[in-house]
Amino acid sequence: MWTLMSRTMRLRPLLLGRSTLGKIGRSLANSWRLLRAGRRGDAVYISIPGQLGAWLLLPTIAVARLRGLTMWFHHHSFRSINLGPMRVMRTLVAWAGPAQNHILLSDGMRDRFAGLYLPPGAGRAHTMSNTVLLGSDIRSKLSPRPGRPLTLGHVSVLTREKGVSYLFELFDALCREVPGIRLVIAGPSSDPALLATVREAEVRHSGAFDYRGEVAGEEKERFYQDIDLFVLPTTLVDEAEPLVMIEAYSRGVDVLATSTGCIPDRIRDPGLLLSLNIAGDTALVASAARFGASDWARRREDCLAHLARLAKNGEEQGAAVLKAMYDSVQQVRMGHDKTARANATKAGEP
């Protein structure tokens, strides 16, 4: 976002802090900095925290409103919608006043957020997909499928809310339905009980299950090369537009996922949405896996074509949002200059 905005605007960072104490300190420091240095026509861009950290933004928001600054809130979490209306978000919107704008990740997310928190017809909610951040990261060349068993994959910060426990249950059932099927999981976890479940799966499915821990760079590329389908049975309350979905599509890997957050707006085929019913999902994944083996190249080409459409829409949305940000700043400054000139002329009259 910094790179995108820096193309048309001069930016100054206001850090939010990491620890609780640090966030409190930064909240006060940012408020003081805006009070001293903010000038009419400036815009404040804020990435909304997914948890209760949004309360700490209120002093900054109050000062920004006092100084007549336009505010842009970028939402990366579905929490305020899934649990909405939440008091913290209603308070934030009330404090921000008329000079506020909200960036949501899909049209569905935009409409649901606006319905919960914004007055009808306010026109202050905008859509901008995370695909705008993708840039040229689309793999256009696909190598032939290697000679290996059908392989499912999952990568995330491993938690129960990401559906890892359900994924193991699903894989147990799939092993009975699709002989030779494999599962590769990657990602860190701080949950000892979940890591114990991973170790149990390694014993139970010796040779058919591979846990690779945290992956990045070439290791992540190898992960995507080694799988046929990406499975994301997430129920995370914050889940909005998972970047791992976009990563998978960019490697030609099809995705099966739950209808959480923006996923229904992003999935290539609505028929690949998981229901979290073990019997139904087993049949769905088994069918997708068999099709993936028989028409592997076509499925990968379909994924790349789907991502190209998403990326094009994301670029258009990004351009529209950046233009709206720039225009909002210019309108305020032009209005301020016009008022200043009028006051100067009035002051010079006899």
Side-chain angles (χ1 to χ4, degrees):
M1 284 301 300
W2 180 278
T3 300
L4 287 174
M5 290 189 292
S6 65
R7 296 173 184 172
T8 54
M9 289 168 273
R10 185 167 57 88
L11 306 178
R12 288 176 292 176
L14 300 174
L15 304 179
L16 296 181
R18 295 185 177 274
S19 65
T20 300
L21 188 60
K23 290 177 181 178
I24 294 172
R26 292 307 311 176
S27 173
L28 298 175
N30 290 340
S31 302
W32 177 244
R33 184 172 177 185
L34 284 180
L35 187 62
R36 291 186 59 199
R39 60 193 181 101
R40 189 172 296 275
D42 286 349
V44 181
Y45 166 88
I46 299 172
S47 181
I48 298 291
Q51 307 296 330
L52 297 179
W55 286 110
L56 295 176
L57 296 175
L58 293 180
T60 302
I61 291 169
V63 170
R65 183 175 181 179
L66 178 67
R67 299 289 289 168
L69 311 183
T70 304
M71 284 170 273
W72 289 80
F73 300 103
H74 201 163
H75 300 261
H76 297 276
S77 168
F78 232 79
R79 177 178 292 263
S80 64
I81 297 172
N82 284 331
L83 304 181
M86 293 181 67
R87 186 171 59 166
V88 61
M89 193 57 62
R90 293 176 69 175
T91 304
L92 183 151
V93 169
W95 282 37
Q100 64 179 294
N101 296 269
H102 298 265
I103 304 171
L104 293 308
L105 304 179
S106 73
D107 289 345
M109 185 180 183
R110 177 200 63 200
D111 294 344
R112 290 179 64 183
F113 179 87
L116 284 169
Y117 299 106
L118 301 179
R124 296 178 299 194
H126 310 261
T127 300
M128 187 172 73
S129 168
N130 279 328
T131 55
V132 74
L133 308 176
L134 190 66
S136 60
D137 190 25
I138 299 178
R139 272 58 175 174
S140 58
K141 296 181 180 179
L142 296 175
S143 57
R145 184 179 186 276
R148 53 169 165 73
L150 286 168
T151 305
L152 308 179
H154 173 89
V155 61
S156 68
V157 176
L158 304 182
T159 63
R160 297 184 185 279
E161 292 79 11
K162 282 287 187 178
V164 177
S165 297
Y166 179 78
L167 182 56
F168 285 134
E169 184 181 353
L170 180 62
F171 186 60
D172 288 339
L174 283 166
C175 286
R176 297 188 290 270
E177 294 290 326
V178 186
I181 195 169
R182 298 184 70 251
L183 172 64
V184 180
I185 288 182
S189 179
S190 59
D191 184 341
L194 190 60
L195 289 173
T197 303
V198 171
R199 289 191 290 271
E200 291 170 4
E202 287 177 316
V203 174
R204 188 166 67 254
H205 297 292
S206 179
F209 171 63
D210 182 7
Y211 174 54
R212 300 188 179 181
E214 187 170 3
V215 295
E218 292 184 2
E219 290 181 338
K220 181 180 277 191
E221 292 304 320
R222 189 158 49 250
F223 164 82
Y224 284 113
Q225 291 170 8
D226 289 345
I227 66 174
D228 298 299
L229 293 170
F230 189 94
V231 185
L232 184 62
T234 177
T235 59
L236 184 66
V237 70
D238 291 291
E239 196 77 80
E241 187 184 30
L243 289 173
V244 288
M245 280 187 73
I246 298 171
E247 286 181 354
Y249 285 138
S250 75
R251 276 72 172 178
V253 178
D254 216 350
V255 177
L256 297 100
T258 48
S259 57
T260 301
C262 304
I263 291 174
D265 296 324
R266 294 291 171 258
I267 199 158
R268 183 185 68 83
D269 180 356
L272 297 178
L273 288 171
L274 300 170
S275 64
L276 297 183
N277 173 278
I278 196 67
D281 287 345
T282 300
L284 174 63
V285 178
S287 174
R290 294 188 185 104
F291 175 81
S294 63
D295 206 350
W296 189 80
R298 176 186 167 188
R299 181 182 285 266
R300 296 219 153 194
E301 290 170 358
D302 288 346
C303 289
L304 289 177
H306 174 64
L307 182 66
R309 290 190 293 271
L310 294 181
K312 183 175 184 296
N313 289 337
E315 289 174 1
E316 293 172 352
Q317 292 166 353
V321 167
L322 291 175
K323 183 178 185 302
M325 292 177 101
Y326 181 80
D327 288 349
S328 68
V329 169
Q330 293 300 103
Q331 288 170 6
V332 172
R333 287 186 175 172
M334 288 174 63
H336 178 63
D337 292 343
K338 184 177 180 181
T339 301
R341 287 194 299 270
N343 290 338
T345 301
K346 185 175 181 181
E349 291 176 354

